[in-house]
Amino acid sequence: MLLPLLLLFTSQSSPAVAAAEDIVPREYLTIAPVDRYGRRPFQPNAVFRDHLWKSNSAPPRVGQSVTGELGKLETWEARKAGDKGNLGGSLGFAYTAIDVPERQMVLAQLSGAWTLFVNGRPSFGDAYRFGFGGTPVVLEAGRNHIFVTGIRGGFSLRFKPVEPGLLHGGWDDTTPHLVLGEKPQGAIGIELTNASEQASGPLLIEWAGEGFTPGRLVDPGLQALGANHFSLPLDGPAIESLEPRSLAIQVSSADGKSPNIALSFSIALDVREPTAKRKRTYISSVDGGTVEYAEVPPSPAKSGESPERMGLVLSLHGAAVSSWGQAGAYQPKPDFWIVAPMNRRPFGFDWQDWGRRDAYDVLELAMDSSGVDPRYKYVSGHSMGGHGTWHLAANDLDGFAACAPSAGWVSFDSYGGRPQGELADLWQRADASSKTLDLIENLKQLPIYIVHGTADDNVPPTEAFSMMDALTKAAGSFDAHFEGGAGHWWGGRCVDWPGIFDLFRSHSIPVDPAKIDFTTVDPSIDAEHHWIRVEQPQHYGDRLRVHGGWNAEENRVSLTTKNVALFSVTRAIAKAVIDDQEFALDSSAPVHWFRWEAGNWSHVDSGPTDGEKHSRRSGPLKKAFDRNFIMVVGTGGDPAERDALMAAAQLQAGSWCYRANGRALVMTDQQYLARELSQGEVAGEQPNIILYGNRENNRAWTKALAPGCPLDVTAGRIELPGPSGPTTFKGDDLGCAFVYPGSASGQLIAVFASTGLDGARLSSNLQPFKSGAGYPDFTLFSGEILSTGDKGVLKAGWFNARWQFEE
């Protein structure tokens, strides 16, 4: 007998498991991949189209055939899973049906695959086999239709019955080390799951322990079948012993309307010596989640010796490696701090997107705490982290004094590849920061040390050779070491190579250089280089370049630009020559702005005006997830569409929490409109909003979006302005993904809009958190994407600097 709604849990840190045995499907129908999967925003999905998309879709049958993008006819075949529910092979989809006598709550434990559909509702799986405890789903009385996709070389699936309630599994907590002699710092991250068909209501979380300052927070809570991470900041007096500390945590109903919510558990924290390697955490301003990183402090200097200078190395780990594991590859050095960020997760974002943001957040924290001179920053990494090294150095020319990629791959296009389609160039321009070779003009200016094993069969040495060739052709220079006969990983020497640190010791970031040569793919990625700041391009989606120099004798700057529309010179100069246009300037002014208008440069009083794009408020779409975002779901319309919108939001929220170890707050439009602003939000720093639905079924649409939005989405139609009048697309299967300013200062809104139930169900095929899959400012699409991919895209591109369409 299942207990109603939310069960009382006390003094435990694991779910209360119902007496019923686990349900382990054994009989499957499977089909080989029929479409190309990969790093692109819209990919065909013929199986989803035929068996999941429509509410009346029928399940597959043995021998039934499907043809997709690959052009090969594949058939559904009967397969039997192992005793533990494991099924191997090259699988595109797997289907099973299970019968249960009564409706029940279960944790779906899907390992080795990205997505699970239970009776058409999507949820995320444990694709990387981290060992997480599962996602809550409801099995209906009678027959339940189960699909698995996004399979990574085989999967296993079981359903674990649980009593409905609020769960703390303990499988995804994030904890720091405490350090002897230091006050507790950072935060603990805990995950809570609402295995219930009712929203939890607001939650009160309280924590306390010997040597800790007690803390409490009130959170809006969890939607039905939702999960999220919660950050508990740490504080207290300095730690005086190496004895482990324990923190007691209690969760209850904040408004008293759900009195059965009562979780109680504890988390232990280890204490480390001041000179020992340690884990740190911080609360990310991206999402409010708790993120881990690791430090290797400098070793004590020998008696009578002291380092000439102290440097800091940002070390980026490879796929499946943690920050703790990366830090463990190094021997402490008297003249370097080694700091290893997490990329949010061991796989994370390939050090792009929010992985790159994590690297810079950790770098800023470590520079502040270590007191290292900012001229002595360096970046290195192995495998995926080697790619991250190329990536960060190429996109931040003055951010590091030198870089050292080890076994690094160049880009998604050279390593693994990206599927090609009619709009491949457009999608990749929206992800232009990942195209390392396009930024060789930046990299050629940096001191570089390349390390690779000659027998590497994971990242072949040709990746290093291609970069060496490009640098040579660009008149750049580098040092390199190829370890004879070595594979992909040959111990800590892969990253702790003496030649790397010899190079680092001999270079620093130039201070106030007279000559500059700066390329950026977008001001939102990198806007500033020494005394130049670019804020707007002439054409979004194309690279910008500024090069030239300063003549001290004449106090004159001479610059040549490409695709730049608005930039500043942060020098007190008397003259400027911009693309052969001469300007006499007030040399007492510390900053000079220049704007490209009607084919000429003008010297203007200030930078971007209100309402214009700029480096801190711009597209493309993914940028909306950069600042404490809230996912807001429309509740208007019919129940099926409401459920589809909530499922789409929760799938993205779950994917974010899984990929980013992040926090994704999901609210209904009614909850969002009724919420009270925090003190920080009242001061103007309101979070970004992610809207699901359309203007008619999401009540937050009009309030969240700034006036003047050129896209209007309602039931059955999408309308946008055109030179000869509005253009209207009609149908119930239309979707639209775009970014636009919010009504609050600095705020961005991302919209996943749909015109009906079929349009809303397309959302499970989008990949906004997949690195290498670029989305421009706006994309309009129809259900045709399931059959033909890019041919189902109706319109896509960038808004201009005034956030309007421009042909």
Side-chain angles (χ1 to χ4, degrees):
M1 185 74 176
L2 296 180
L3 301 181
L5 194 53
L6 298 174
L7 182 77
L8 177 69
F9 296 111
T10 59
S11 301
Q12 63 177 44
S13 60
S14 59
V17 179
E21 294 182 355
D22 290 0
I23 301 168
V24 183
R26 299 285 305 280
E27 305 295 333
Y28 282 92
L29 298 183
T30 67
I31 192 168
V34 298
D35 294 298
R36 293 186 182 92
Y37 296 101
R39 301 179 187 276
R40 54 178 171 174
F42 302 96
Q43 52 193 25
N45 196 332
V47 175
F48 179 89
R49 176 199 65 202
D50 292 351
H51 300 294
L52 282 163
W53 183 28
K54 304 284 188 176
S55 56
N56 59 353
S57 297
R61 304 181 308 274
V62 173
Q64 187 174 357
S65 299
V66 180
T67 302
E69 180 186 24
L70 294 173
K72 183 180 178 182
L73 189 70
E74 299 286 356
T75 59
W76 287 93
E77 300 177 348
R79 294 277 305 278
K80 190 167 185 176
D83 293 342
K84 296 182 179 180
N86 54 299
L87 197 63
S90 177
L91 305 175
F93 269 81
Y95 165 79
T96 189
I98 56 176
D99 296 300
V100 296
E102 61 179 344
R103 204 163 191 266
Q104 59 183 290
M105 181 69 62
V106 296
L107 290 180
Q109 297 180 339
L110 172 62
S111 178
W114 280 110
T115 310
L116 174 73
F117 291 90
V118 177
N119 298 321
R121 194 181 199 276
S123 61
F124 67 98
D126 183 6
Y128 294 128
R129 298 177 173 87
F130 290 144
F132 291 172
T135 303
V137 300
V138 175
L139 296 180
E140 302 289 347
R143 175 143 294 193
N144 294 265
H145 299 282
I146 313 296
F147 288 84
V148 176
T149 189
I151 301 165
R152 305 180 78 247
F155 70 92
S156 66
L157 174 64
R158 67 174 55 228
F159 297 95
K160 184 176 290 293
V162 293
E163 304 289 359
L166 192 68
L167 314 177
H168 169 251
W171 52 72
D172 200 21
D173 294 340
T174 302
T175 58
H177 287 131
L178 303 174
V179 178
L180 188 67
E182 290 186 6
K183 296 176 61 177
Q185 57 183 274
I188 285 176
I190 61 171
E191 183 186 47
L192 300 177
T193 298
N194 185 20
S196 167
E197 295 183 74
Q198 301 294 325
S200 70
L203 298 174
L204 171 63
I205 305 177
E206 299 173 286
W207 59 99
E210 184 179 353
F212 294 101
T213 301
R216 70 193 304 270
L217 68 82
V218 176
D219 186 88
L222 298 167
Q223 299 298 325
L225 306 178
N228 207 355
H229 289 99
F230 301 81
S231 294
L232 316 183
L234 297 177
D235 198 3
I239 304 298
E240 297 180 348
S241 77
L242 291 173
E243 291 295 320
R245 301 296 181 94
S246 181
L247 201 65
I249 300 169
Q250 293 184 329
V251 185
S252 59
S253 172
D255 60 8
K257 295 181 180 179
S258 301
N260 287 333
I261 296 179
L263 277 176
S264 178
F265 54 93
S266 61
I267 292 178
L269 299 176
D270 289 335
V271 181
R272 307 285 288 178
E273 293 277 7
T275 57
K277 178 182 74 166
R278 63 277 193 119
K279 288 192 298 182
R280 300 282 200 186
T281 58
Y282 72 98
I283 298 177
S284 172
S285 60
V286 169
D287 60 350
T290 299
V291 186
E292 173 192 323
Y293 65 102
E295 290 179 340
V296 181
S299 59
K302 294 181 181 179
S303 178
E305 298 181 7
S306 61
E308 185 175 320
R309 69 188 193 194
M310 186 66 69
L312 187 144
V313 177
L314 190 72
S315 183
L316 312 181
H317 65 74
V321 180
S322 68
S323 59
W324 182 247
Q326 181 74 3
Y330 290 90
Q331 293 297 315
K333 293 164 179 58
D335 53 348
F336 284 100
W337 283 83
I338 312 294
V339 181
M342 191 60 162
N343 190 28
R344 300 294 302 232
R345 285 281 198 199
F347 290 88
F349 303 100
D350 297 279
W351 297 108
Q352 300 189 184
D353 301 324
W354 304 279
R356 178 180 63 239
R357 172 67 178 271
D358 175 39
Y360 279 111
D361 286 346
V362 169
L363 179 63
E364 182 178 358
L365 288 168
M367 291 297 293
D368 286 346
S369 63
S370 67
V372 168
D373 188 315
R375 294 175 296 170
Y376 306 131
K377 296 179 294 180
Y378 310 89
V379 62
S380 183
H382 178 262
S383 190
M384 180 181 73
H387 164 69
T389 300
W390 288 124
H391 179 70
L392 266 65
N395 285 282
D396 187 10
L397 177 54
D398 59 355
F400 303 96
C403 72
S406 174
W409 44 273
V410 179
S411 70
F412 296 119
D413 304 300
S414 67
Y415 182 70
R418 287 189 272 199
Q420 295 298 306
E422 292 189 359
L423 300 177
D425 179 66
L426 174 65
W427 310 137
Q428 292 179 26
R429 286 165 59 207
D431 182 54
S433 65
S434 72
K435 299 179 76 66
T436 309
L437 289 172
D438 287 353
L439 294 163
I440 204 70
E441 292 297 319
N442 283 350
L443 286 170
K444 75 175 188 181
Q445 302 174 57
L446 272 178
I448 298 172
Y449 201 108
I450 299 170
V451 177
H452 220 109
T454 62
D456 191 336
D457 60 356
N458 186 324
V459 179
T462 51
E463 292 290 305
F465 296 154
S466 67
M467 287 303 299
M468 292 162 64
D469 182 58
L471 287 166
T472 300
K473 290 178 178 177
S477 62
F478 53 86
D479 292 315
H481 171 77
F482 287 84
E483 184 75 1
H488 189 57
W489 176 256
W490 32 283
R493 293 190 306 151
C494 285
V495 290
D496 202 7
W497 186 253
I500 291 175
F501 287 89
D502 290 342
L503 179 83
F504 287 175
R505 290 183 180 100
S506 60
H507 289 90
S508 61
I509 297 174
V511 176
D512 197 26
K515 293 183 178 181
I516 59 104
D517 188 352
F518 173 45
T519 301
T520 180
V521 299
D522 192 286
S524 67
I525 300 294
D526 187 19
E528 193 167 13
H529 180 63
H530 294 296
W531 40 270
I532 292 292
R533 184 174 187 87
V534 293
E535 287 292 348
Q536 293 173 1
Q538 296 177 26
H539 304 287
Y540 283 89
D542 295 333
R543 294 189 301 279
L544 304 81
R545 186 180 180 191
V546 180
H547 62 98
W550 172 59
N551 183 307
E553 185 176 340
E554 299 181 18
N555 196 16
R556 183 192 72 234
V557 162
S558 299
L559 299 171
T560 301
T561 72
K562 181 179 181 180
N563 192 37
V564 178
L566 180 63
F567 77 99
S568 66
V569 177
T570 53
R571 274 187 178 279
I573 52 176
K575 301 176 184 177
V577 180
I578 315 295
D579 295 326
D580 297 326
Q581 284 185 242
E582 297 187 9
F583 297 89
L585 305 171
D586 178 4
S587 60
S588 65
V591 180
H592 295 277
W593 285 95
F594 299 90
R595 184 183 286 272
W596 180 260
E597 296 176 308
N600 289 286
W601 285 106
S602 299
H603 181 252
V604 294
D605 293 335
S606 60
T609 60
D610 290 344
E612 285 190 324
K613 284 184 175 181
H614 52 77
S615 59
R616 296 167 304 283
R617 195 191 199 190
S618 179
L621 178 77
K622 290 182 179 182
K623 285 293 173 182
F625 292 92
D626 271 4
R627 190 178 82 176
N628 274 334
F629 58 87
I630 299 175
M631 296 173 163
V632 180
V633 183
T635 57
D638 64 77
E641 190 172 358
R642 288 200 300 270
D643 290 346
L645 293 175
M646 179 59 74
Q650 288 193 301
L651 179 64
Q652 287 193 3
S655 298
W656 173 262
C657 290
Y658 184 80
R659 286 183 180 272
N661 188 24
R663 172 174 166 78
L665 179 60
V666 179
M667 287 183 164
T668 65
D669 50 2
Q670 296 166 313
Q671 289 173 318
Y672 173 72
L673 293 174
R675 66 193 281 270
E676 295 182 5
L677 298 181
S678 69
Q679 184 176 355
E681 292 171 340
V682 171
E685 286 296 321
Q686 291 196 34
N688 290 348
I689 303 299
I690 317 299
L691 295 175
Y692 298 84
N694 58 49
R695 178 169 57 82
E696 293 176 330
N697 63 22
N698 192 317
R699 297 170 178 84
W701 181 287
T702 303
K703 179 176 180 179
L705 290 165
C709 180
L711 274 163
D712 187 36
V713 186
T714 54
R717 57 182 284 281
I718 300 177
E719 185 173 290
L720 58 151
S724 303
T727 298
T728 302
F729 299 96
K730 296 182 178 180
D732 293 331
D733 68 337
L734 305 182
C736 181
F738 68 92
V739 62
Y740 195 75
S743 55
S745 174
Q747 187 182 45
L748 281 175
I749 311 296
V751 181
F752 293 93
S754 50
T755 59
L757 176 59
D758 291 343
R761 285 181 168 167
L762 292 175
S763 295
S764 62
N765 282 276
L766 274 59
Q767 304 187 95
F769 304 134
K770 194 174 187 69
S771 52
Y775 290 81
D777 287 356
F778 63 87
T779 311
L780 285 63
F781 53 93
S782 73
E784 181 64 20
I785 62 170
L786 299 176
S787 299
T788 60
D790 288 356
K791 291 182 180 179
V793 175
L794 307 173
K795 190 176 181 68
W798 282 264
F799 296 121
N800 62 21
R802 297 175 300 282
W803 292 99
Q804 298 298 309
F805 287 114
E806 189 170 87
E807 294 297 327

